[in-house]
Amino acid sequence: MDHIDQAYELAKERYAAIGVDTEKALKQMGRVRISFNAWQFDDVRGFLKKNSAMSGGILSTGNYIGAATNPEELRQDADMAFSLIPGTHKLSLQATQVDTDEQVDLDDIQPHHYQNYVDWAKERGIGLDFNPSCYSHPNSERGFTLSSSDRGIRKFWIRHCQCSSLVGEHFGRELGIQAVTNHWICDGYKDFPADQFAPRERLKDSLDEIFHNSVNQKLNLDTLESKLFGIGVEAYTVGSHEFYMMYAAKNGRSLCLDAGHFHPTEEVANKISSVMIFSEEMALHVTRPMRWDSDHVVSFDDQTQAMINEVVRGGWLERVHIGTDYFDGSINRITACVTGMRNTLKALMRALLEPAGRLRELEMEENYSERLAVMEELKTFPFEAVWDYYCQVKGVPVGLDWLPEVKRYEREVLSYR
């Protein structure tokens, strides 16, 4: 028995003493699919048009070597990254990441434009998610898409979102794994508007039209993602949290809570239970905001842990679709993927090793003293030994042993792009 097995056996005994079954936690870990954001690999540029300028609050900074320049390179990078992450997960695509030789615009994307991704995912047993790309396009240059005062522009983006949902439905049907199609728009004003109502009324009407002929939500879950502000829309964002929360509640739709889309002092973890009371499903985007919604690589920090704890404590792992959402072109993009995904999974492992039932009993008994003591003591429990064992069982590198593989990949593949 090597040191990893020995450490795990000791940790198993330690956790058993407080009523936690580590074997059960490992099985639960193996069933969870985290969705990784494919736009980390290509700096959110996509493959619809070559060298398109970025706009609409979307910007990946940095010029580190090796960004994917075509769908084949993106899938190659995803293969490399997923080989270093324990478990079987999902890849979330942007609509602009088409894989076709056809000349196609966003309002006419079809499932067959992404079939190569489906075939690739099917071979590997992974899932696919999807996202309309309502930015960096001539029809978004004036700062408005679904809420534009121009009916022609609104119709373009309505068709795009409808097509996107159909692509997601195709993913779910072909792969047998529910897809999530997440709708986010960049609409808003740089300075304070005179009329906050009209754009939101137009957005409501556009959403009504998009979802009029709804796709099968068991195959594809359509979610709505709010934002606080962004570059160029610092004063007013049409798709605010309050707007989407009310729209979802009234129309039986699902929200996406993005950790970077709220005020810095807001606790996103505290919002999850409120959403889950009224919604069957929701999406949770894990990211690390810094100063603003700058989408840094996910850290294994208190905010990430609090969100994952809330999902696990509520028993919502099958109803909350967890995905990462960040992009950093200043570092090796494979390193960014592996670091963020492994940190998200570490938070999940730590949450599953919590004696949630006992903590709830103490709370019901109003024994807040013992609740506090147990929660604090758990912070130094040997969760790392269970995590290392999980990585070993899943056949991926333990600790930092994955880093030499990324360096080799950079030398042999990325440096030649």
Side-chain angles (χ1 to χ4, degrees):
M1 184 182 294
D2 63 22
H3 69 282
I4 293 177
D5 293 317
Q6 292 174 337
Y8 171 69
E9 290 300 324
L10 291 172
K12 183 178 179 180
E13 292 180 12
R14 185 92 181 273
Y15 278 106
I18 60 169
V20 174
D21 184 346
T22 58
E23 293 294 319
K24 180 180 177 182
L26 292 171
K27 289 179 181 178
Q28 288 179 286
M29 281 286 293
R31 292 195 294 267
V32 176
R33 295 178 183 269
I34 306 296
S35 186
F36 180 72
N37 52 287
W39 46 99
Q40 169 59 46
F41 294 131
D42 70 345
D43 293 348
V44 213
R45 293 194 176 277
F47 315 119
L48 194 68
K49 298 177 181 177
K50 298 294 184 182
N51 302 317
S52 59
M54 306 307 293
S55 65
I58 293 289
L59 179 64
S60 178
T61 56
N63 57 355
Y64 200 91
I65 61 169
T69 61
N70 58 57
E72 291 81 6
E73 290 179 351
L74 187 148
R75 290 191 291 268
Q76 183 183 24
D77 291 349
D79 275 334
M80 180 61 199
F82 283 159
S83 73
L84 305 174
I85 298 165
T88 306
H89 300 288
K90 302 174 81 178
L91 186 68
S92 186
L93 298 169
Q94 285 285 333
T96 54
Q97 292 171 324
V98 294
D99 189 355
T100 180
D101 293 327
E102 297 178 31
Q103 292 294 317
V104 60
D105 207 346
L106 288 173
D107 66 336
D108 194 31
I109 54 171
Q110 304 296 325
H112 70 268
H113 295 137
Y114 305 89
Q115 187 59 41
N116 288 335
Y117 291 105
V118 173
D119 296 339
W120 169 83
K122 193 176 294 185
E123 289 178 2
R124 290 152 180 78
I126 69 172
L128 292 175
D129 290 330
F130 202 67
N131 303 264
S133 300
C134 300
Y135 54 84
S136 301
H137 188 279
N139 282 336
S140 67
E141 290 306 309
R142 289 164 59 188
F144 290 87
T145 60
L146 292 176
S147 67
S148 172
S149 59
D150 185 321
R151 175 62 179 167
I153 289 178
R154 290 204 307 277
K155 288 292 291 184
F156 176 90
W157 293 112
I158 288 169
R159 290 194 301 270
H160 173 53
C161 290
Q162 290 171 330
C163 289
S164 295
S165 295
L166 289 172
V167 171
E169 185 180 43
H170 177 70
F171 289 169
R173 182 182 299 108
E174 287 289 305
L175 299 174
I177 301 167
Q178 184 187 33
V180 174
T181 295
N182 185 56
H183 300 260
W184 170 83
I185 59 173
C186 60
D187 300 31
Y189 287 107
K190 185 176 181 63
D191 214 336
F192 298 107
D195 185 356
Q196 297 189 24
F197 182 81
R200 288 177 173 147
E201 186 175 41
R202 292 192 292 268
L203 176 56
K204 173 197 171 295
D205 292 342
S206 293
L207 293 174
D208 289 345
E209 195 167 343
I210 290 168
F211 299 131
H212 178 66
N213 296 317
S214 182
V215 303
N216 186 336
Q217 296 295 292
K218 295 298 181 183
L219 296 177
N220 173 75
L221 182 71
D222 286 299
T223 58
L224 300 167
E225 179 181 350
S226 65
K227 191 163 185 172
L228 179 64
F229 73 94
I231 295 176
V233 288
E234 291 86 355
Y236 168 79
T237 299
V238 182
S240 66
H241 175 60
E242 293 76 14
F243 173 88
Y244 282 131
M245 181 171 60
M246 294 298 292
Y247 186 91
K250 183 175 181 179
N251 295 280
R253 290 289 158 184
S254 298
L255 285 177
C256 171
L257 299 182
D258 186 298
H261 288 191
F262 298 92
H263 288 285
T265 57
E266 283 190 90
E267 295 287 343
V268 177
N270 191 39
K271 302 177 186 297
I272 296 173
S273 59
S274 296
V275 174
M276 293 308 293
I277 288 175
F278 301 100
S279 181
E280 285 298 314
E281 297 178 84
M282 63 163 276
L284 176 65
H285 278 187
V286 183
T287 186
R288 177 166 54 104
M290 191 179 295
R291 309 301 181 191
W292 64 290
D293 175 35
S294 44
D295 292 315
H296 289 69
V297 178
V298 173
S299 284
F300 184 40
D301 56 16
D302 290 344
Q303 290 77 16
T304 299
Q305 190 65 64
M307 289 187 292
I308 304 300
N309 276 350
E310 189 64 23
V311 175
V312 173
R313 289 171 183 171
W316 300 317
L317 275 175
E318 294 184 358
R319 295 169 55 195
V320 175
H321 302 266
I322 303 172
T324 58
D325 186 359
Y326 56 84
F327 35 93
D328 187 347
S330 71
I331 61 177
N332 182 294
R333 294 165 186 81
I334 311 299
T335 299
C337 171
V338 177
T339 301
M341 284 287 282
R342 285 176 70 118
N343 281 338
T344 304
L345 289 164
K346 286 176 186 176
L348 176 59
M349 173 68 78
R350 194 170 183 179
L352 289 170
L353 292 172
E354 188 181 74
R358 181 182 177 187
L359 292 172
R360 281 194 293 269
E361 289 175 3
L362 292 172
E363 196 160 273
M364 289 299 293
E365 296 167 1
E366 299 184 4
N367 189 345
Y368 307 136
S369 302
E370 188 172 343
R371 181 192 63 182
L372 174 64
V374 173
M375 282 183 164
E376 290 302 306
E377 196 65 27
L378 279 169
K379 293 177 180 178
T380 57
F381 261 58
F383 113 91
E384 182 187 8
V386 186
W387 166 255
D388 287 347
Y389 179 75
Y390 180 67
C391 289
Q392 178 175 269
V393 168
K394 290 296 181 180
V396 303
V398 175
L400 284 173
D401 289 350
W402 59 270
L403 205 49
E405 288 297 306
V406 176
K407 292 179 179 179
R408 176 193 61 78
Y409 187 77
E410 181 175 311
R411 288 194 309 272
E412 298 177 2
V413 179
L414 300 181
S415 62
Y416 290 97
R417 291 181 181 171

